[in-house]
């Protein structure tokens, strides 16, 4: 893992994430998540006047 920050305190926080332990219940909850949900849809690339379409972006 390469922490993405230039702030030393944030880099230290990012590195601490390697010490997170997930329980079996946590792992099962993650496995049940909708895997087809997109948090970033790409709509910002399809603004008026732009030639991109969502269909092209996710093809």
């Amino acid at each position: 893992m390469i922490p993405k920050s230039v702030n030393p305190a944030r880099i230290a926080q990012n590195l601490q994430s390697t010490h997170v332990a997930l329980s079996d219940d946590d792992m099962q909850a993650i496995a049940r998540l909708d895997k087809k949900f997109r948090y970033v849809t790409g709509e910002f690339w399809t603004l008026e006047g732009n030639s991109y379409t969502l269909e092209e972006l996710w093809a």
Side-chain angles (χ1 to χ4, degrees):
M1 176 182 92
I2 299 173
K4 185 182 180 317
S5 183
V6 295
N7 179 310
R10 293 283 170 89
I11 292 171
Q13 288 175 337
N14 290 341
L15 290 171
Q16 289 302 310
S17 68
T18 61
H19 301 291
V20 172
L22 299 175
S23 69
D24 288 339
D25 288 341
D26 293 332
M27 294 301 289
Q28 289 173 9
I30 291 169
R32 288 190 300 271
L33 292 174
D34 180 2
K35 294 175 180 71
K36 295 186 182 211
F37 180 80
R38 295 189 187 274
Y39 289 95
V40 177
T41 64
E43 290 176 347
F44 52 87
W45 292 108
T46 62
L47 299 175
E48 186 177 332
N50 195 327
S51 61
Y52 294 111
T53 66
L54 287 178
E55 293 78 23
E56 292 172 326
L57 290 173
W58 300 117

